[in-house]
Amino acid sequence: MDEILKKRRTLQETMNFMAALSAGIEPILGRGANSMTMSAGRNLGRKFSAGAKPTQDLMEAIDEVRNILVANNCLWGFEPFKPQQQNDFITSTPEGDQQLLLVFRDCMIRQALLRFGHLQQGSLCNMMYGFFAGALESIMGRKTTLEIKHAGENSCLKLLTVKK
Amino acid sequence: MLEMTIHENSCRGCQLCLDVCPTDCFVFDEQTQKARVAVVENCIACLSCAYICPSMAIRHKDYHQVKNFYRNIEFSSRMEKFL
Ligand code: SF4
Ligand code: SF4
């Protein structure tokens, strides 16, 4: 029990440090902070998905990203979301890009930010965008963006766009 | 299945819940001048409406409540390799 409590404290301190670091670099680097975390996330996404099964099916690719996260002990629970007025999970833009809404529930970034009073939707959240971009680039071979539509206290809504 | 209610007597009709909801779960009832749940199926349980409501009139039931990660033993053990 002592060991677990010690690990938890270390983990809490690590995330606290990361959140503080990201909050600290934002005023200095401005938009540059987002590029840095995006790039770090993309490298991680590429690295983690190096051996992933390639597919052109977006739903399959999303499952693959989930498997990668679980295999690497990352707690980022997400699920596809379909508003009642929409027929399918995946929609297409007039330009031919595919779009999918994702709801993120357990997220260690949000929990660290809220615990220590930092704002959401900052550079640390942008790391997740990078992660998806990197992972889907490897799995589908296509460019991807992950836009935060809503950052809530208990879950977040994001829009995944996979370019044609 | 998630349930959501608005305590009718508490609602002051400020419409903040309509503004904050990302999935348009609420409508404003012009007759009663109060908010009403319209599409509970669209609720993603972000709880932003419950936090923003000045009357604390909105209640959710049966949803996944996110815990602070360091309070979750299973998660703490999964994070071991990063420490
Ligand atoms: S935020 Fe609360 S008080 Fe305001 S309209 Fe919605 S339920 Fe009513
Ligand atoms: S919890 Fe979020 S999604 Fe659900 S009704 Fe409230 S604001 Fe909308």
Side-chain angles (χ1 to χ4, degrees):
Chain A
M1 194 61 190
D2 273 0
E3 193 51 28
I4 283 225
L5 285 176
K6 207 172 139 209
K7 277 178 183 154
R8 280 192 201 173
R9 272 197 295 271
T10 314
L11 179 61
Q12 184 181 324
E13 276 157 22
T14 312
M15 288 310 282
N16 180 16
F17 174 73
M18 274 180 71
L21 193 69
S22 112
I25 59 170
E26 277 164 23
I28 300 165
L29 297 181
R31 286 167 62 90
N34 280 344
S35 317
M36 272 173 69
T37 49
M38 154 78 185
S39 165
R42 190 165 54 197
N43 287 342
L44 194 68
R46 279 191 193 136
K47 207 170 106 190
F48 277 8
S49 60
K53 190 177 131 220
T55 175
Q56 284 306 308
D57 182 320
L58 181 52
M59 288 313 235
E60 259 182 41
I62 288 296
D63 279 342
E64 200 58 32
V65 176
R66 183 180 294 109
N67 296 340
I68 291 166
L69 286 168
V70 171
N72 288 282
N73 300 306
C74 293
L75 183 76
W76 264 305
F78 66 89
E79 64 208 46
F81 172 71
K82 182 176 83 61
Q84 211 195 32
Q85 60 276 16
Q86 203 174 289
N87 291 330
D88 298 305
F89 279 102
I90 300 171
T91 55
S92 296
T93 65
E95 294 77 37
D97 300 340
Q98 284 183 306
Q99 291 192 312
L100 174 65
L101 285 164
L102 295 173
V103 175
F104 286 74
R105 299 197 189 277
D106 294 288
C107 168
M108 51 183 155
I109 292 177
R110 183 189 326 112
Q111 279 132 296
L113 294 175
L114 296 185
R115 175 69 180 81
F116 298 104
H118 299 298
L119 292 176
Q120 288 171 276
Q121 258 174 298
S123 56
L124 211 49
C125 295
N126 221 38
M127 206 171 82
M128 202 56 199
Y129 165 14
F131 185 88
F132 267 76
L136 289 175
E137 217 175 274
S138 303
I139 298 169
M140 299 184 82
R142 287 156 72 182
K143 277 208 170 318
T144 308
T145 59
L146 185 68
E147 180 199 343
I148 303 174
K149 299 294 268 183
H150 179 74
E153 286 77 354
N154 196 60
S155 70
C156 299
L157 183 68
K158 304 190 187 188
L159 179 67
L160 183 76
T161 304
V162 181
K163 302 278 179 203
K164 201 170 138 186
Chain B
M1 171 133 163
L2 181 143
E3 286 174 38
M4 178 166 57
T5 50
I6 299 180
H7 191 274
E8 209 184 318
N9 291 342
S10 305
C11 176
R12 58 181 83 174
C14 65
Q15 302 193 40
L16 284 173
C17 53
L18 277 86
D19 292 341
V20 83
C21 180
T23 53
D24 300 328
C25 292
F26 304 100
V27 288
F28 188 66
D29 191 323
E30 292 293 343
Q31 222 168 19
T32 58
Q33 290 290 299
K34 287 171 195 284
R36 190 159 50 75
V37 178
V39 202
V40 70
E41 291 80 4
N42 277 0
C43 178
I44 59 164
C46 66
L47 300 193
S48 297
C49 56
Y51 277 96
I52 208 168
C53 174
S55 308
M56 301 207 310
I58 305 171
R59 289 273 181 277
H60 294 79
K61 252 177 79 180
D62 288 341
Y63 63 94
H64 174 82
Q65 187 163 23
V66 171
K67 280 190 203 157
N68 275 325
F69 61 86
Y70 50 86
R71 296 198 174 174
N72 183 326
I73 288 211
E74 196 200 337
F75 178 50
S76 293
S77 56
R78 284 165 68 191
M79 285 298 287
E80 221 168 307
K81 76 174 218 183
F82 293 108
L83 304 179

